[in-house]
């Protein structure tokens, strides 16, 4: 039985994944390290520091800089990112998300947020969505980012549901793996090749509906 739907934020609720890319692109260009949209897929769902390390791996390697230098680059990336999200407003919620959330509420399904972004609270406030969620994970207390299941398990515990009663919604390969490692079913939104391991793959958030989840997944859930 479906009792909860747990969402990723960046690239699922709103298109901030493109701003993470834009900010990292500036840093990678400064460092002279090749970085494109395709390589960026690896960064989705992973923490700020691990994202920088993945970029460095494509150049001189993650051990080429001191921790202090890496912290400074992470801070600079976040400054650029914060400028980019500064103009987010409720109309930036991706198509179909508000309708899907209303449908879940009507069906008494709990709603969680499993983002590893420390900027998640600010983004939710800007989108005026905070009150729609029954639980929002605090990224600063989540030890490991995706593909580890920590942020989804934290949601399951705080929502009081079993993995077999919850569905995760993600746009990242690492996110689909994290959902599965938490023992949940996964809905992937976006690139079909990247999200090939998801239980349901949708091209856009507009296709999300409770009846689709119910008919496709309910029978396979405990
Ligand atoms: C995830 C994004 O949601 O949050 C990653 O997919 C990002 O790209 C991570 O690195 C951490 O975000 P922040 O805002 O704390 O730097
Ligand atoms: Mg995402």
């Amino acid at each position: 039985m479906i009792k909860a739907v747990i969402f990723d934020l960046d690239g699922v609720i709103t298109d901030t994944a493109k701003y993470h890319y834009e900010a990292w692109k500036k840093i990678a260009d400064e460092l002279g390290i090749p970085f494109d949209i395709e390589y960026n897929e690896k960064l989705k769902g992973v923490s700020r520091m691990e994202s920088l390390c993945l970029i460095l791996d494509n150049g001189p390697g993650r051990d080429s800089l001191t921790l202090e230098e890496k912290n400074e680059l992470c801070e600079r990336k976040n400054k650029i990112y914060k400028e980019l999200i500064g103009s987010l407003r409720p109309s930036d919620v991706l198509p179909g998300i508000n309708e899907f959330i209303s449908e879940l509420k009507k069906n008494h399904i709990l709603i969680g947020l499993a983002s590893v972004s420390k900027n998640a609270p600010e983004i939710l406030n800007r989108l005026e969505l905070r009150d729609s969620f029954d639980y929002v994970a605090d990224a600063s207390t989540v030890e490991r980012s995706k593909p580890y299941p920590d942020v989804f398990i934290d949601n399951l515990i705080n929502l009081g549901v079993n993995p077999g009663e919850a569905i995760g919604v993600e746009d990242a390969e690492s996110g689909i793996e994290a959902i599965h490692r938490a023992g949940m079913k996964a809905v992937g939104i976006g690139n079909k090749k990247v999200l090939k391991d998801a239980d349901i793959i949708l091209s856009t958030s507009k296709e999300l509906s409770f009846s689709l989840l119910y008919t496709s997944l309910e029978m396979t859930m405990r």
Side-chain angles (χ1 to χ4, degrees):
M1 196 187 162
I2 302 172
K3 288 193 181 163
V5 172
I6 303 171
F7 291 84
D8 171 47
L9 174 69
D10 294 318
V12 170
I13 301 281
T14 187
D15 196 11
T16 36
K18 69 180 179 204
Y19 296 141
H20 280 294
Y21 172 66
E22 211 176 310
W24 280 127
K25 178 75 182 142
K26 280 204 176 122
I27 302 287
D29 285 352
E30 271 176 35
L31 295 168
I33 298 175
F35 181 56
D36 59 16
I37 280 280
E38 202 187 322
Y39 194 79
N40 183 59
E41 285 299 326
K42 286 183 197 289
L43 275 58
K44 290 185 179 173
V46 309
S47 69
R48 202 177 300 165
M49 180 56 86
E50 181 58 17
S51 295
L52 173 63
C53 288
L54 287 171
I55 290 173
L56 292 169
D57 285 346
N58 209 28
R62 57 179 67 202
D63 297 329
S64 61
L65 298 179
T66 63
L67 182 60
E68 204 184 354
E69 288 168 327
K70 286 195 260 194
N71 279 332
E72 193 268 324
L73 286 172
C74 283
E75 262 171 46
R76 213 133 54 74
K77 181 266 175 178
N78 196 45
K79 211 168 156 230
I80 301 168
Y81 180 69
K82 277 182 105 71
E83 271 168 34
L84 293 169
I85 61 169
S87 56
L88 278 181
R89 54 176 87 74
S91 58
D92 291 309
V93 174
L94 281 166
I97 293 291
N98 282 319
E99 294 78 358
F100 183 49
I101 286 177
S102 303
E103 208 189 349
L104 293 174
K105 291 211 172 291
K106 257 187 235 148
N107 286 280
H108 310 291
I109 305 296
L110 293 167
I111 303 175
L113 192 84
S115 173
V116 298
S117 169
K118 294 185 175 126
N119 290 295
E122 178 181 340
I123 292 172
L124 282 187
N125 286 338
R126 288 192 181 279
L127 300 176
E128 293 176 14
L129 270 185
R130 177 60 189 88
D131 293 344
S132 301
F133 288 85
D134 297 293
Y135 179 69
V136 173
D138 175 359
S140 63
T141 65
V142 173
E143 203 161 315
R144 299 173 302 178
S145 60
K146 299 160 191 173
Y148 290 99
D150 302 23
V151 72
F152 286 101
I153 292 173
D154 175 64
N155 261 265
L156 292 171
I157 293 167
N158 283 283
L159 291 170
V161 298
N162 295 317
E165 299 168 330
I167 293 170
V169 187
E170 265 287 350
D171 70 321
E173 188 179 9
S174 66
I176 300 295
E177 188 178 334
I179 293 171
H180 281 153
R181 285 165 81 168
M184 301 158 55
K185 295 284 179 197
V187 177
I189 301 178
N191 187 318
K192 290 197 160 47
K193 271 191 204 152
V194 174
L195 303 169
K196 59 181 184 335
D197 294 331
D199 300 285
I200 298 179
I201 310 174
L202 307 174
S203 309
T204 76
S205 51
K206 263 192 264 184
E207 295 162 50
L208 281 168
S209 79
F210 182 63
S211 54
L212 172 83
L213 298 196
Y214 194 82
T215 47
S216 325
L217 295 177
E218 174 83 14
M219 293 300 282
T220 65
M221 295 173 81
R222 273 170 283 139

